[in-house]
Amino acid sequence: MCATYEALCTHGYADLTMQDIADESTKSKAALHYHYDSKHDLLCAFLEYLYEQFVERVADSDAETPHDRLLALVDVVLANSADDPEGFETALLEIRAQAPYEPGFRERLVTFETYLLGRFTDTLEAGVEDGTFDDDIDPEDTARFLVTVLTGAATERVTVGRSVECTQRMLREYVETHLLTEQGATA
Amino acid sequence: MCATYEALCTHGYADLTMQDIADESTKSKAALHYHYDSKHDLLCAFLEYLYEQFVERVADSDAETPHDRLLALVDVVLANSADDPEGFETALLEIRAQAPYEPGFRERLVTFETYLLGRFTDTLEAGVEDGTFDDDIDPEDTARFLVTVLTGAATERVTVGRSVECTQRMLREYVETHLLTEQGATA
């Protein structure tokens, strides 16, 4: 999986071959083919690996209050974009753009998005319950909105080379001025 | 340009050839090559054509107040995504994902984004000036946030097949509850 990561950073998605991945690893191309029938299968496994890593990173967070959990979730997603080299983000967007042609890719991307939406919705619901967040908000719609902003930030990093800092600032402001109750803001 | 549009809808970006575009037009492949050295040059011209179409559509809007102009701008961007077949949106995301490798693409994408940011910023500034929008907002940051949401909505349509309706609803709500002043809301 690390070799796949390195090979995607260097070669991008379109030109990637099983040989490129083998070159980054201690395995031969034949050994890779023993485990994965095709580049498609290997990349599906790679998307699952990214998903598991993400779930782990979210679970590792020691944020306790709904407010802290929401910000931590935003930061885990944005940190992904900020830490990875641009080549990797680009390869990932190329893979995302293949989703309509590759049901295996779309299935994994939907799993990832469903998980992220679920985490945001749960956190928003918990915050409405304990008075942190405004009870006027629709947790599910708001979660979807936040995910859309994060998706847009990742795309813009690739397409126009914009840093995610502005998005991070705006999202923190959005949470403070639009989601938090007075009680939540002073907690 | 129409032939390029049709060819992108049918073949996507990666597999597109000059022959595919010629097949959709009344011109021969040789005639296309007379005007455009390569697929890259033709696609750069196509991105400029999309940009001009977009600018025209924005100019055609008869919205007058800052509030109406802001919603009209959102609708023009989202209508693009809703009216085009999924194949076209997918091809466009493939082209966007090539921006880091193709300075010609990035240059046109940045021009488009700069224009959109400028329109949103101007509209927000005009609205703050006439009391429609809250003078607490930073027009430039808010414009960037809106563009990020719209970019995210376009990406999600391709990657997870989500319709833009939820984004449209959330953006209208965002404008109503977070940007409009009381005076603006009742105008």
Side-chain angles (χ1 to χ4, degrees):
Chain A
M1 291 296 114
C2 289
T4 305
Y5 177 87
E6 293 298 335
L8 279 170
C9 289
T10 311
H11 302 280
Y13 162 79
D15 299 331
L16 188 74
T17 63
M18 292 291 261
Q19 186 60 57
D20 294 330
I21 300 169
D23 288 347
E24 298 283 349
S25 80
T26 54
K27 294 210 164 61
S28 68
K29 191 178 147 195
L32 278 185
H33 271 296
Y34 178 80
H35 291 289
Y36 305 102
D37 271 349
S38 61
K39 172 177 147 184
H40 169 267
D41 286 1
L42 201 161
L43 288 174
C44 283
F46 183 68
L47 290 174
E48 285 168 18
Y49 163 79
L50 288 182
Y51 171 69
E52 283 155 22
Q53 292 242 311
F54 182 80
V55 171
E56 255 176 55
R57 233 169 293 158
V58 170
D60 277 353
S61 156
D62 50 11
E64 286 187 3
T65 66
H67 183 196
D68 287 346
R69 270 157 53 206
L70 194 76
L71 295 182
L73 202 51
V74 166
D75 286 349
V76 171
V77 181
L78 289 180
N80 263 350
S81 311
D83 294 345
D84 288 319
E86 197 191 3
F88 182 68
E89 283 294 299
T90 304
L92 211 53
L93 190 62
E94 289 182 86
I95 291 176
R96 286 191 181 122
Q98 297 304 310
Y101 312 127
E102 302 282 6
F105 292 176
R106 174 164 279 175
E107 188 189 319
R108 272 111 188 141
L109 294 170
V110 168
T111 302
F112 184 87
E113 219 220 7
T114 306
Y115 170 76
L116 192 57
L117 276 173
R119 290 283 65 69
F120 271 122
T121 306
D122 289 353
T123 309
L124 288 162
E125 278 172 355
V128 168
E129 191 112 335
D130 78 359
T132 305
F133 299 129
D134 207 321
D135 59 8
D136 275 353
I137 65 167
D138 178 325
E140 219 163 305
D141 273 359
T142 305
R144 202 159 284 156
F145 191 67
L146 292 170
V147 171
T148 301
V149 174
L150 292 167
T151 305
T155 303
E156 286 174 344
R157 181 154 188 259
V158 174
T159 55
V160 296
R162 183 192 297 159
S163 90
V164 296
E165 276 155 40
C166 176
T167 310
Q168 190 157 34
R169 193 155 41 84
M170 287 298 292
L171 272 177
R172 284 182 174 272
E173 205 182 295
Y174 176 79
V175 171
E176 268 168 44
T177 57
H178 305 138
L179 303 184
L180 287 178
T181 57
E182 268 183 57
Q183 180 202 322
T186 53
Chain B
M1 291 297 116
C2 289
T4 307
Y5 178 87
E6 293 299 335
L8 279 170
C9 290
T10 311
H11 302 279
Y13 162 79
D15 299 333
L16 188 73
T17 64
M18 292 290 261
Q19 187 59 58
D20 293 331
I21 299 169
D23 288 346
E24 297 282 348
S25 81
T26 54
K27 295 209 164 58
S28 68
K29 191 178 147 195
L32 279 186
H33 271 295
Y34 179 79
H35 291 288
Y36 306 102
D37 272 348
S38 62
K39 172 178 145 183
H40 169 267
D41 287 1
L42 201 161
L43 288 175
C44 283
F46 183 68
L47 290 175
E48 286 169 18
Y49 163 79
L50 288 182
Y51 171 69
E52 284 155 21
Q53 291 242 311
F54 182 79
V55 171
E56 256 176 54
R57 233 169 293 160
V58 170
D60 277 354
S61 158
D62 50 12
E64 287 186 4
T65 66
H67 182 196
D68 286 346
R69 269 157 53 207
L70 193 76
L71 295 182
L73 203 50
V74 166
D75 286 349
V76 171
V77 181
L78 290 179
N80 263 352
S81 311
D83 293 348
D84 288 319
E86 197 191 3
F88 182 68
E89 283 294 298
T90 304
L92 210 53
L93 190 62
E94 289 182 85
I95 291 175
R96 287 191 180 123
Q98 297 303 309
Y101 312 126
E102 303 281 6
F105 291 176
R106 175 165 277 177
E107 188 189 318
R108 272 107 189 146
L109 294 171
V110 168
T111 301
F112 183 87
E113 218 219 7
T114 305
Y115 170 77
L116 192 57
L117 276 173
R119 290 283 65 70
F120 271 122
T121 306
D122 290 352
T123 309
L124 288 162
E125 279 173 353
V128 167
E129 190 114 334
D130 79 358
T132 305
F133 299 129
D134 206 322
D135 59 8
D136 276 353
I137 65 167
D138 178 324
E140 218 162 304
D141 272 0
T142 306
R144 203 159 282 156
F145 191 66
L146 291 170
V147 171
T148 301
V149 174
L150 292 168
T151 304
T155 303
E156 286 174 344
R157 180 153 189 260
V158 175
T159 54
V160 295
R162 183 193 297 161
S163 91
V164 296
E165 276 155 41
C166 176
T167 310
Q168 188 155 34
R169 192 154 42 81
M170 287 298 291
L171 271 178
R172 286 184 171 269
E173 205 183 295
Y174 176 79
V175 172
E176 269 169 43
T177 57
H178 306 137
L179 303 183
L180 287 179
T181 56
E182 266 183 56
Q183 179 202 322
T186 53

